[in-house]
Amino acid sequence: MPRRQDGRRYTWRRGVDPRPPAGSPATPGAEPAAAQDPPPDSVVHAALYRDGVRVASPASLTDTYRQLREEPRTTAWIGLARPTETELKSLAAEFDLHELAVEDALEAHQRPKLERYGETLFVVLRAARYLDASEEVDFGELHVFVGADFVITVRHGAAPDLSAVRRRMENSPDLLRLGPEAILYAILDAVVDGYAPVVDGVQNDIDEIETEVFSGAPEVSRRIYELSREMVEFQRATRPLVGMLHGLMAGFAKYGTDEELQSYLRDVADHVTHTSERVDAFRQALADILTVNATLVTQQQNAEMRALAEAGFEQNEEIKKISAWAAILFAPTLVGTIYGMNFERMPELSWSLGYPFAIGLMGVVCTGLYVIFKRRDWL
């Protein structure tokens, strides 16, 4: 392993591209061609620091590699956003990054984790931000490579704002002087601090949901479900971070971490533990709210079914009354119809008591039907 001018070992090797340029045959013994610079839109920022002060702002990765070799006791901080495979391979060749870590950084969609590959620390973080307009939580992914004299950040998503982290560190030279571990602390602190507005926004959403649940808002079930899914993602982002920070703290003595930096990292661990507990509480609260909402919806449905049943019962009562009176009125109509046929030969036509008999028959039939329907509560 080559050594720097100050006697420390380099943690990277010279970046090379083993493939010759297109159209040029490979020459035995010739020096391999240098890796091409990535497109400038992927390199967000690159800077070199010495004793907590910026000493250079390279415009490309090639310049960064060269100046890092030439400048003793410097630390490189390279920030990229959604880099390509070629860009990451260039960094891997220059700084001796492990291929598994490079593969994770390229594919993204990784769980938060902390792994050591030799002298390089690889950290995956899930940042979050609360979108007020849509009342949603937006998650980003950040991969950090930390070596003895370099920090490489690979960002997938809008969060976090690493430019603010860089300004904070440059305004705190005493902290930046502690080296790459201090930069890692600042990144961790920014990610964890970014959770606070999300927690406040979610708490406000839960308060609104509770109000909507008891007011009978029709769309509240969908909102509960969507927020519950976001809390699952939030939980996946915060819970592993607790173990990661405790792992870092466990290695303080082994890796000789500065005491002041140890205090800062413990503070970050306390904050992320508090945030993780709040997220767990949010998820349980949403589960309880969903249960209460389901109970209220069931009660509302039962009340509607009961109202429909009562309306049907009242309708049946009315139909029975109408049917009873129709039957009662049908009896005299039947008798009158028979005797209104005007046939010349009918037994009762010449009978002197025929009319009283017909009237009496109508009365008896109607009275009998009325008594029967009354006993059956139809009238």
Side-chain angles (χ1 to χ4, degrees):
M1 187 75 70
R3 292 183 177 270
R4 295 165 50 121
Q5 297 179 17
D6 57 358
R8 292 168 50 198
R9 290 191 306 167
Y10 280 121
T11 57
W12 42 264
R13 62 177 181 268
R14 185 181 300 277
V16 296
D17 186 351
R19 296 171 299 180
S24 301
T27 303
E31 192 72 23
Q36 296 180 353
D37 287 340
D41 56 343
S42 294
V43 180
V44 177
H45 205 102
L48 268 63
Y49 300 92
R50 183 190 301 117
D51 295 328
V53 178
R54 183 191 291 224
V55 296
S57 301
S60 65
L61 288 182
T62 299
D63 292 340
T64 303
Y65 302 156
R66 176 180 53 79
Q67 294 183 39
L68 185 60
R69 296 189 188 101
E70 296 173 352
E71 296 287 342
R73 298 182 300 277
T74 56
T75 297
W77 184 355
I78 304 172
L80 301 97
R82 299 183 180 89
T84 64
E85 182 177 2
T86 301
E87 296 163 358
L88 282 179
K89 284 185 176 180
S90 171
L91 290 166
E94 186 69 27
F95 295 104
D96 197 19
L97 306 180
H98 197 279
E99 59 181 6
L100 294 179
V102 173
E103 181 180 352
D104 289 345
L106 180 63
E107 294 180 357
H109 303 293
Q110 304 295 319
R111 63 176 181 83
K113 60 182 179 180
L114 182 149
E115 296 178 346
R116 288 189 180 274
Y117 295 98
E119 298 181 4
T120 302
L121 189 65
F122 177 61
V123 181
V124 178
L125 302 172
R126 294 292 304 278
R129 60 174 182 163
Y130 186 78
L131 305 178
D132 291 322
S134 57
E135 295 184 340
E136 295 178 349
V137 181
D138 178 50
F139 294 93
E141 190 168 334
L142 181 65
H143 301 251
V144 186
F145 297 89
V146 182
D149 54 2
F150 69 88
V151 174
I152 302 171
T153 58
V154 179
R155 184 161 50 87
H156 298 271
D161 182 10
L162 295 181
S163 61
V165 179
R166 191 183 295 271
R167 288 193 299 270
R168 173 196 172 188
M169 294 299 290
E170 291 179 351
N171 291 331
S172 305
D174 291 338
L175 181 60
L176 186 56
R177 189 178 293 116
L178 298 178
E181 285 186 333
I183 297 175
L184 176 60
Y185 150 73
I187 294 173
L188 288 168
D189 189 51
V191 171
V192 174
D193 286 348
Y195 293 153
V198 179
V199 170
D200 294 339
V202 172
Q203 180 65 68
N204 183 66
D205 287 346
I206 291 177
D207 293 341
E208 292 179 355
I209 285 174
E210 289 177 342
T211 302
E212 292 177 0
V213 164
F214 290 101
S215 65
E219 297 295 330
V220 68
S221 297
R222 181 182 182 88
R223 188 177 182 186
I224 296 173
Y225 175 73
E226 291 176 348
L227 189 57
S228 297
R229 291 189 60 184
E230 291 178 354
M231 288 305 96
V232 171
E233 290 296 321
F234 203 3
Q235 199 173 48
R236 291 173 180 171
T238 57
R239 181 174 291 179
L241 196 53
V242 176
M244 290 166 53
L245 287 167
H246 282 87
L248 278 176
M249 291 188 294
F252 283 165
K254 179 179 180 180
Y255 296 99
T257 304
D258 184 86
E259 291 185 1
E260 183 179 5
L261 192 56
Q262 291 182 24
S263 301
Y264 289 145
L265 287 171
R266 290 192 187 96
D267 182 66
V268 175
D270 291 340
H271 289 172
V272 76
T273 300
H274 176 71
T275 300
S276 180
E277 292 173 351
R278 291 287 303 275
V279 174
D280 292 343
F282 287 158
R283 189 174 179 187
Q284 183 60 46
L286 287 169
D288 295 340
I289 292 173
L290 189 60
T291 301
V292 171
N293 182 66
T295 302
L296 294 176
V297 170
T298 301
Q299 291 177 350
Q300 183 179 2
Q301 291 176 344
N302 291 338
E304 293 175 353
M305 293 296 295
R306 185 165 53 251
L308 289 174
E310 291 175 355
F313 177 77
E314 293 177 357
Q315 186 177 12
N316 290 336
E317 291 298 316
E318 295 298 326
I319 292 176
K320 287 192 296 184
K321 291 179 181 180
I322 294 173
S323 300
W325 284 112
I328 292 173
L329 295 176
F330 175 74
T333 302
L334 176 63
V335 175
T337 302
I338 293 175
Y339 285 98
M341 291 186 293
N342 295 324
F343 289 110
E344 291 183 0
R345 297 184 180 183
M346 290 182 65
E348 293 85 5
L349 288 180
S350 300
W351 186 28
S352 59
L353 298 178
Y355 176 74
F357 174 78
I359 296 299
L361 180 61
M362 293 179 189
V364 170
V365 174
C366 290
T367 302
L369 290 175
Y370 179 83
V371 172
I372 293 173
F373 291 142
K374 191 69 175 178
R375 287 180 177 179
R376 294 184 178 182
D377 293 329
W378 282 36
L379 292 175

